[in-house]
Amino acid sequence: MSDIISLLPDHVANQIAAGEVVQRPSSVVKELLENSVDSGATEIHLIIQDAGKTLIQVVDNGKGMSYADARMAFERHATSKIKLADDLFDLHTMGFRGEALASIAAVAQVELKTRPHDEDLGTELRIEGSKVIHQKVCQCGGGTSLAVSNLFFNIPARRQFLKSDNVENRHIIDAFEHVALANPEIAFKFTQNNVEIFHLPEGNYRQRITSVFGKKFNERLVPVEEITDVVALSGFVLKPQYARKTRGEQFFFVNDRFIKNSYLHHAVNHAFEHLIKGDEHPSYFLYLRIDPKRIDVNIHPTKTEIKFDDEKAIYAIIRSAVKHALGQFNIAPTLDFNQNVGDIPIPDPTRAVIPPTIQVDPNFNPFNTETPKTPAQSSGASSSFKSSSFGKTPTDNWQELYKGSESTESGNIQISSGWEDDTIEKNATHFQLDNRYVITKVKSALIAIHQQRAHRRINYERFLQVLNGHHAPSQQLLFPISIHMNGGEMEALKSVNDTLHRMGFELEFPSAQQVLVQGIPMHISDGETQIVLDQLVEDVKSDADVFRNDPSHAMAKSLSSHIGIKNGQVLNREEMQHLIDELFACEMPYTDIFGRPIIVQIGLDELDKKFR
C-alpha cells in the first residue's frame, strides 16, 4: 500500500490559515492597526481604496523593524510577543500568534517599508502570494508603512464572495472604531478613496467617543466607574432615553482589546431593567482592566472572544456599577444656587397697594333655565367660550348627537371585508378612545381603528407608490438642516441616497461627517427630518441585505415607521375623518406594515352577550 499522507506546501498552508484570519478586508485592517498599536506608535493613518479590495495601507510612526526582522515578520509563527507557552497567560499586546502577516501575504500583494528611528536607512520588502519578489535597502520615514493590494487576487472564489463596497466599508469602519476607541492616547486618521473620514486627535475616553460619534454624545454619556480586586471597570453608558430599537453603540474592551460577550451584555441590559422598553437596547462604552493571568484570549483566531476565570463575579460587578451610575444620574432638573438668575425686585414703599377685587353676579339664579349673560359678555369683552358649544345648556340641540347615525346613500365608504352592513357613513360621529383608537360605526357594529398603525399603512403605500412611479416632489428648505454623522452612518446613508432622492430628499455631503438637507418630501416636516434620517440609518445598518435586495419596500417601510400620527396624539373630527378616508383608500387597510391588525369590529351580537 502506497503512502497517501503528505505535508502541505507552505503557500497552501498559508492560504488555509488565511481563511481563518483574513475573512474580508476589515480583517486585514484590524490586524494591521493592532500591529501599529503594538509598535508604540502615537500617530496612525489608515488609507483605503475601493472598500479595501484595491488597497489597504497603514502608516505609523512606531519603532519600525530592522532588515532581518522585516523578512522574519512574514514567516508563520514568527513573533516578538512570546517566548514560552506561559507567556500566553501574561499578554499585554494585541497580536502574538505570528499568523497575521503570513496569512495576509498569502492572499494579497504586500509592500512593506520600515525604518527604526535610530537608523539612517530602512527596508523595502515586496511579497506576492507568499513569494518574496524583492527585499532591498531604501530611504523612508521612521516607523512602518504596510500596503496590501489586490486582496484575494490569487483566490478568485474568495473575492467573488465579498459583499458590496458599502457593506465592506461599514465593516472596515467598525474595525477602525474598535481600535480607535480602545486607544484614545493615539492620534488616528482614516482616508477612504482620497476623502478623509476620521481625524481623531489624542485625548481621553470621553473625547475619543465624542470625536467618533459626534459632539451630541457628550451630554448623553453617564460615567461608570468601579474598582475591585477582580476587575477595574470604567467607561460610559448612554442615558435611558437614548436607547435604540436596534443594537447601536455597544462596546466592551478588556485590556484595550475589543471583545464580544453576550453574558456581560446581559448584565448591562439587566441594569437598565424598567428604565427602557423591552424591545430597546442600551448603548455603552465599558472598559475592563483585569490581570492577564485571569483571562484567556487564545480561544478564537480573531481574538474577539475571551474566557474569564470568574465570569459570574464580573457579571455582578458590571450590573451593580451600571445600576449605581444610573441611580446617580438624576433626570429631574437641578437648581444651581451659585448661578446668578437675576435680581429680585424690591417693592416701592411709596406706592399704594391695590387689593384684588372679586366680581359677583347678583342676578345669578341656579334654577333659572335661561342662560344669563355674564358681565364680560354684556360688556362685549372677549371670552374663549363665547362662540363655543361649551356655552350652551346640556339640553340644547340634543338631536345633533345622533346626526349621521342613520344610513345615507351618498358619501359612504364601503369596507370590502366581508362584514355585514359594512358601511362607514361619511358624516358619522367619530371619537377617540385614550387618544389611541378612533371609534366609529357601521350599520350593525362598532369598529375601532388603531390610529398609529393606520397612518403607517397610509404612508407606506404612499411612499411605495412614489418609489414605483416617478420622482416625488420636494419642498425646498429656506434654511438647510445640518446633521452630524460618523463614518459608518455616512456610508449607510450614502448607500440609499439614490432612493432617498426619488422620495424627495435633497442631500449634500460637504464633509466626511456632515449631511446638509436642502429639500424634504412633502409629507415630512422639517422638525421630523433628523429623527427620520437617524432612524433610517439604523435600519440600513441592521438590515443591509433587505435594503440592497428590495430597496423600495425597505425604504417605504422604514420611513413610514418613524413619521406620522402617534399614539397619544389628539385628533379633531376633520383629522379623524381624513384618516378613515385615506385608510380605506389603501389596497390593504386591515393590517399594518408588520402584519398586525388595524381594525377591530365589535358586532351587535357581541354587545348583546355583554348585557345578558
Side-chain angles (χ1 to χ4, degrees), residues 468-486:
N468 292 334
H470 52 79
H471 186 280
S474 174
Q475 51 179 335
Q476 298 298 306
L477 299 177
L478 182 61
F479 300 101
I481 301 172
S482 178
I483 302 175
H484 180 279
M485 290 188 177
N486 62 48

Side-chain angles (χ1 to χ4, degrees), residues 471-477 500-507 517-522:
H471 186 280
S474 174
Q475 51 179 335
Q476 298 298 306
L477 299 177
L500 284 171
H501 182 68
R502 289 163 53 202
M503 292 288 300
F505 282 97
E506 300 290 342
L507 305 181
V517 184
Q518 299 282 5
I520 56 178
M522 302 299 293

Side-chain angles (χ1 to χ4, degrees), residues 95-390:
F96 55 86
R97 291 181 170 185
E99 295 178 356
L101 291 182
S103 299
I104 294 170
V107 293
Q109 299 167 341
V110 178
E111 183 179 76
L112 171 70
K113 292 183 179 181
T114 182
R115 177 178 70 83
H117 290 275
D118 57 355
E119 295 186 9
D120 296 330
L121 295 176
T123 302
E124 178 181 323
L125 177 65
R126 183 172 181 82
I127 302 176
E128 295 183 3
S130 295
K131 182 180 179 181
V132 177
I133 303 301
H134 68 252
Q135 181 176 5
K136 62 183 180 181
V137 176
C138 72
Q139 289 186 338
C140 61
T144 301
S145 170
L146 201 152
V148 178
S149 305
N150 300 323
L151 188 63
F152 301 131
F153 79 101
N154 54 350
I155 312 178
R158 290 288 302 277
R159 191 176 179 91
Q160 71 179 7
F161 278 100
L162 294 177
K163 303 295 185 181
S164 66
D165 285 0
N166 289 322
V167 174
E168 297 299 340
N169 278 331
R170 287 200 294 273
H171 284 288
I172 290 172
I173 291 172
D174 288 343
F176 175 83
E177 289 176 351
H178 294 164
V179 179
L181 290 170
N183 300 276
E185 72 283 357
I186 301 176
F188 286 88
K189 189 159 65 170
F190 179 11
T191 303
Q192 180 176 278
N193 296 333
N194 301 319
V195 177
E196 186 175 274
I197 304 298
F198 288 102
H199 194 161
L200 310 176
E202 59 180 302
N204 54 34
Y205 286 125
R206 180 185 282 270
Q207 291 168 337
R208 179 53 53 89
I209 292 170
T210 55
S211 295
V212 172
F213 296 102
K215 294 181 180 179
K216 60 185 178 183
F217 264 66
N218 190 39
E219 61 182 16
R220 302 180 181 180
L221 298 176
V222 178
V224 179
E225 187 169 2
E226 189 71 36
I227 300 177
T228 68
D229 294 336
V230 179
V231 63
L233 173 66
S234 62
F236 303 91
V237 295
L238 264 66
K239 296 175 183 179
Q241 61 263 39
Y242 297 108
R244 297 188 174 187
K245 296 290 185 182
T246 58
R247 292 193 176 187
E249 291 75 30
Q250 297 179 339
F251 298 91
F252 273 116
F253 300 93
V254 176
N255 295 348
D256 298 332
R257 184 193 305 275
F258 171 77
I259 68 161
K260 298 177 182 178
N261 192 301
S262 58
Y263 185 62
L264 300 186
H265 170 73
H266 185 269
V268 180
N269 278 346
H270 198 180
F272 275 84
E273 195 174 15
H274 306 306
L275 296 176
I276 61 177
K277 297 179 182 178
D279 59 345
E280 293 180 337
H281 303 275
S283 298
Y284 53 82
F285 306 83
L286 296 178
Y287 300 84
L288 286 74
R289 186 70 60 180
I290 192 170
D291 185 352
K293 294 183 175 63
R294 306 189 66 170
I295 59 176
D296 184 3
V297 299
N298 200 31
I299 64 173
H300 193 275
T302 61
K303 301 183 284 291
T304 55
E305 299 176 11
I306 67 175
K307 186 180 294 184
F308 300 88
D309 69 343
D310 194 356
E311 203 167 37
K312 290 184 178 179
I314 296 176
Y315 179 100
I317 291 169
I318 291 176
R319 182 186 62 181
S320 174
V322 173
K323 263 194 169 184
H324 180 68
L326 293 173
Q328 287 185 320
F329 165 63
N330 187 6
I331 61 174
T334 58
L335 292 177
D336 185 0
F337 292 98
N338 295 321
Q339 184 180 2
N340 183 14
V341 294
D343 296 329
I344 299 176
I346 300 175
D348 185 0
T350 62
R351 184 177 178 182
V353 178
I354 303 174
T357 59
I358 301 176
Q359 294 182 355
V360 178
D361 183 5
N363 298 321
F364 175 71
N365 181 359
F367 302 100
N368 188 0
T369 58
E370 296 182 0
T371 305
K373 292 184 178 181
T374 64
Q377 290 172 328
S378 60
S379 62
S382 62
S383 172
S384 59
F385 298 101
K386 186 173 181 180
S387 60
S388 171
S389 60
F390 292 103

